[in-house]
Amino acid sequence: MKAKEWLNAMPSQFGTYDVDVISVEDYKGIVFSGMGGSGIVGDVLKLLLERRGTEVPVVSLHGYELPPYAKQDWLLVAVSYSGNTEETISTVQEAMQRRLNIICVSSGGKLEEIADKEGFRFVSVPPGYAPRYAFGFMLSAVMSLFGFGRSLEKIRKNLDENKEEIKETAYNIAQVLQNYIPIVYGTPLTEPIAFRWKTQINENSKTLCYTAVLPELHHNEVVGLDNPIARNLCHFIILHDPEDHPRVIKRVEITEKIFKELGLSPVVLRGKGESLEERLMYLAYLEDWVSFYLADIYGYDPLPVKIIDRIKESLK
Ligand code: F6R
């Protein structure tokens, strides 16, 4: 099965791209634009750039329109695996009108045509994959552009070394999630990966899944736990990182305690690895396998996303 083959080979997608590194300070701000399996790339880059102390604003956009403050001297990085996603193309067209600097990343499609025609920088990723299964290629391309190239080899090694353990843990988590609505809680450092858990479970396992983030969820979501009918339909996963703010870590512990008092057993996870990037990709790879095994339990082929294709077709 293709999905399994791609997942087994996913670690090898991580590697440095031979590209000229962008100097972020040359721009007044950076906008990443992308949807779904491509959009996650901007979310991760925003997090990494902010952790690196980048002083220019960084925005990750999933939609048609650029924010009004994105003007000349800003950089748009448009990521679309197919190169044909209309929201992403719309942001490129708007950026052209406002004279932003533009870089396009895709495996071909209209984005490549536009980049060729207009002379924009273009970074090509290997074609032939379902977009969400090309995450490692797209992330590697964009991380390389922003000077995170060195981390990529370490990510690959970390995933390769922990692959068997990741698969085993994923298999066990999938068993636990069976017949429940998975709810994935993230923290400021794991938020993009919590969202990736949600989207991969939606697309691969063909089931609903929701996400919320600490500390915000301590101000609303937790009250929803009062209702036993609702909470007993769900199974909870909490993703956090040792570098999270100490008060966030404290909040993870409190959340776990509250869940236990309610008779719920959340799966609490930290990624393995020396750096934040390695730990985040550990959690992302774990989720790839969780969603794969959950699809198997429910008897679904993880690859087709018929309803997404149908909606794209209806919009043509
Ligand atoms: C399909 C998938 C989707 C797409 C999304 C945008 O595998 O993951 O979420 O990523 O529909 O399409 P692209 O990535 O081609 O811009």
Side-chain angles (χ1 to χ4, degrees):
M1 191 205 284
K2 234 182 196 174
K4 194 170 188 183
E5 236 174 74
W6 284 340
L7 283 190
N8 269 313
M10 177 64 90
S12 63
Q13 290 191 12
F14 290 91
T16 316
Y17 274 59
D18 188 14
V19 287
D20 289 338
V21 173
I22 292 163
S23 163
V24 174
E25 277 69 28
D26 287 350
Y27 302 98
K28 284 201 174 136
I30 315 283
V31 188
F32 293 99
S33 156
M35 303 302 297
S38 302
I40 168 95
V41 174
D43 298 342
V44 173
L45 259 291
K46 175 178 160 64
L47 177 75
L48 296 184
L49 286 168
E50 287 177 355
R51 288 295 286 177
R52 192 165 78 181
T54 300
E55 289 186 8
V56 301
V58 183
V59 179
S60 179
L61 191 73
H62 301 243
Y64 288 92
E65 291 172 308
L66 295 178
Y69 47 79
K71 295 190 180 140
Q72 222 177 347
D73 298 332
W74 276 60
L75 171 67
L76 173 77
V77 182
V79 186
S80 165
Y81 183 72
S82 63
N84 293 324
T85 297
E86 67 169 44
E87 296 93 320
T88 315
I89 290 171
S90 154
T91 59
V92 172
Q93 285 161 342
E94 215 181 333
M96 282 162 65
Q97 280 161 14
R98 296 198 211 167
R99 311 185 76 77
L100 271 76
N101 301 278
I102 299 173
I103 299 181
C104 300
V105 179
S106 84
S107 67
K110 288 186 196 143
L111 214 51
E112 181 170 16
E113 283 168 27
I114 297 172
D116 271 359
K117 184 162 169 256
E118 303 293 335
F120 301 146
R121 245 182 111 179
F122 177 74
V123 184
S124 151
V125 291
Y129 290 78
R132 63 193 183 283
Y133 287 87
F135 174 53
F137 290 129
M138 291 188 280
L139 190 68
S140 296
V142 182
M143 280 179 70
S144 301
L145 278 171
F146 283 88
F148 293 100
R150 281 215 197 130
S151 307
L152 291 160
E153 299 303 328
K154 290 189 189 158
I155 291 173
R156 185 181 47 70
K157 201 162 163 263
N158 191 44
L159 296 184
D160 265 335
E161 281 173 6
N162 289 296
K163 186 155 123 185
E164 291 317 311
E165 181 197 281
I166 286 175
K167 285 169 76 168
E168 201 184 314
T169 311
Y171 182 82
N172 293 332
I173 295 174
Q175 300 290 332
V176 167
L177 295 181
Q178 182 179 6
N179 299 332
Y180 289 100
I181 298 172
I183 307 281
V184 188
Y185 290 163
T187 59
L189 291 187
T190 59
E191 182 174 2
I193 304 306
F195 187 64
R196 169 87 175 169
W197 272 66
K198 172 202 155 27
T199 59
Q200 288 288 79
I201 289 175
N202 293 150
E203 291 183 60
N204 290 336
S205 323
K206 278 74 177 165
T207 191
L208 294 174
C209 176
Y210 297 96
T211 173
V213 183
L214 280 164
E216 177 64 20
L217 74 85
H218 273 181
H219 299 270
N220 32 63
E221 169 101 3
V222 275
V223 187
L225 292 170
D226 279 354
N227 185 330
I229 297 173
R231 72 174 183 248
N232 290 331
L233 291 174
C234 306
H235 207 98
F236 298 84
I237 293 155
I238 305 175
L239 309 178
H240 68 123
D241 188 84
E243 283 179 31
D244 267 312
H245 189 287
R247 299 299 287 168
V248 169
I249 294 177
K250 179 84 189 151
R251 283 175 184 273
V252 170
E253 288 163 11
I254 294 172
T255 313
E256 214 181 329
K257 191 163 170 271
I258 293 171
F259 272 109
K260 288 196 175 142
E261 282 166 13
L262 291 170
L264 303 166
S265 328
V267 180
V268 183
L269 297 165
R270 276 182 176 184
K272 273 194 184 170
E274 279 172 18
S275 65
L276 175 65
E277 296 92 297
E278 285 167 68
R279 292 191 296 274
L280 292 183
M281 289 314 116
Y282 179 101
L283 289 176
Y285 194 38
L286 177 65
E287 145 279 305
D288 283 343
W289 284 106
V290 169
S291 59
F292 173 84
Y293 288 128
L294 193 55
D296 194 46
I297 289 171
Y298 286 141
Y300 289 118
D301 177 350
L303 268 190
V305 284
K306 284 189 199 138
I307 194 153
I308 298 181
D309 300 337
R310 183 183 142 193
I311 292 169
K312 286 184 181 177
E313 198 54 39
S314 316
L315 281 158
K316 270 185 188 162

